Amino acid sequence: MLENQSNFHFKDRFKNQKILVTGGAGFLGKRVIAQLIDAGANPDLITVPRSHELDLRSLANCEKVVQDQDLIVHLAAHVGGIGLNREKPAELFYDNLMMGVQLIHAAYQAMVKKFVCVGTICAYPNHTPVPFKENDLWNGYPEYTNAPYGIAKKALLVQLQSYRQQYGFNGIYLLPVNLYGPEDNFDPRSSHVIPALIRKVYEAQQKGDRQILVWGDGSPTREFIYSDDAARAIVMASANYNDSEPVNIGTGLEISIKDLIHLICELMGYEGEILWETDKPNGQPRRCLDVERAKTAFGFSAAVNFQEGLHRTIAWYRQQAA
């Protein structure tokens, strides 16, 4: 059930609404749909376009899919970890920009009532003071490996704000930190840090390896939000937030990569040695959000304890990998 909603009522908010959820078959999308239904949405009125059937980089497809929709939640993204960012920066820029820009424009033309755009923490400047405040978003260039993806996504905020100013189009923009949880992407070619580290430790245990290699030097810090919490924030904002200013979605808790891998090893019972590949990139030096705006604007605060969330994620992966 949805939490933290005592002052933010969902009754009838989604009743009879036609809702389009791009990326709705993905890791986060499945949870957003489940919580939309929990909040009163009719599952028969929720549309989930699949990328292999409807390429949203095509304007014609965007125009087709937005027709007669009341609410659009745009989660679809071409995204991955540092490895993918280094390997395919052009694809990440083009795919994310074209999907978002054309979908927003088509939604405006189709007179969709509300557009919820889920952006990325990668949009923040490389040396943003911690905790990241939404007002810091434009105070510098993103970390270079994240920049093509982050800038493509950040452009959508400008588009939504300008469409609101000129056309009165109701679009909102959310900035979630790194997600994790069961059903995450554990493919080592494109995964983010938590699933990548869980898989490394699991495979070392299976092989009896006494050492594992981890990119960087362990000094960068990150903040993570459990997928169910992120989904709940998106649904709460969809129901109750209608402003032009972007909103951070996170926990406000910061952990170094070094402490993260040691915590994962502890939870998984691995006692081997960690070897740092210092010739590999660290990524952004620090990431931790100021989460006050989400709390005051629509009553969201994260509920899942980080260790508990990791425990659930590890348990799910072990079951799948066995």
Side-chain angles (χ1 to χ4, degrees), residues 25-28 30-31 181-186 313 316-317 320:
F27 169 49
L28 177 59
K30 290 177 183 177
R31 285 157 176 80
E183 298 186 85
D184 202 345
N185 171 25
F186 285 82
T313 307
W316 181 87
Y317 180 70
Q320 298 302 307

Side-chain angles (χ1 to χ4, degrees), residues 236-273:
M236 294 178 78
S238 298
N240 295 300
Y241 186 68
N242 297 289
D243 202 348
S244 62
E245 294 303 313
V247 184
N248 288 334
I249 303 297
T251 63
L253 299 175
E254 184 180 16
I255 185 171
S256 71
I257 299 300
K258 182 178 181 180
D259 288 343
L260 174 64
I261 183 58
H262 285 298
L263 177 57
I264 289 173
C265 288
E266 179 184 337
L267 292 174
M268 296 183 72
Y270 180 71
E271 298 179 352
E273 185 181 4

Side-chain angles (χ1 to χ4, degrees), residues 46-47 67 85 105 120 123 231 276 284 289 299:
I46 298 176
T47 300
Q67 292 303 313
N85 283 326
H105 187 69
T120 173
W276 296 98
Q284 193 165 14
L289 298 182

Side-chain angles (χ1 to χ4, degrees), residues 93-236:
F93 179 82
Y94 180 85
D95 291 353
N96 289 291
L97 185 69
M98 297 307 290
M99 277 194 292
V101 165
Q102 297 184 136
L103 195 67
I104 291 169
H105 187 69
Y108 150 67
Q109 289 187 314
M111 296 186 289
V112 172
K113 294 175 183 174
K114 186 169 185 178
F115 193 103
V116 179
C117 186
V118 177
T120 173
I121 192 72
C122 298
Y124 273 101
N126 189 27
H127 295 288
T128 307
V130 170
F132 294 8
K133 297 180 184 295
E134 292 91 346
N135 293 340
D136 294 329
L137 198 55
W138 296 100
N139 292 342
Y141 194 76
E143 194 277 325
Y144 76 98
T145 57
N146 297 319
Y149 173 64
I151 289 173
K153 283 293 210 176
K154 189 156 61 169
L156 306 182
L157 169 61
V158 178
Q159 184 181 10
L160 288 172
Q161 289 175 331
S162 59
Y163 277 46
R164 181 184 292 271
Q165 179 182 344
Q166 185 172 345
Y167 305 132
F169 182 62
N170 186 16
I172 67 170
Y173 190 89
L174 307 175
L175 287 155
V177 289
N178 295 52
L179 305 177
Y180 73 102
E183 298 186 85
D184 202 345
N185 171 25
F186 285 82
D187 185 335
R189 295 169 297 180
S190 57
S191 59
H192 286 104
V193 62
I194 285 180
L197 293 178
I198 290 173
R199 178 166 178 155
K200 275 181 181 285
V201 172
Y202 177 83
E203 291 183 347
Q205 289 176 315
Q206 296 303 301
K207 297 173 185 176
D209 292 344
R210 299 302 303 160
Q211 296 177 332
I212 59 172
L213 299 174
V214 180
W215 276 25
D217 61 15
S219 65
T221 66
R222 293 292 181 264
E223 175 185 345
F224 302 95
I225 187 168
Y226 192 66
S227 53
D228 286 340
D229 274 338
R232 181 165 52 86
I234 292 165
V235 171
M236 294 178 78

Side-chain angles (χ1 to χ4, degrees), residues 268-304:
M268 296 183 72
Y270 180 71
E271 298 179 352
E273 185 181 4
I274 310 300
L275 300 180
W276 296 98
E277 296 186 277
T278 54
D279 59 323
K280 297 293 196 300
N282 273 327
Q284 193 165 14
R286 294 182 71 184
R287 282 186 189 167
C288 185
L289 298 182
D290 183 311
V291 295
E292 189 59 33
R293 184 176 289 175
K295 189 179 299 183
T296 57
F298 48 90
F300 172 75
S301 59
V304 178

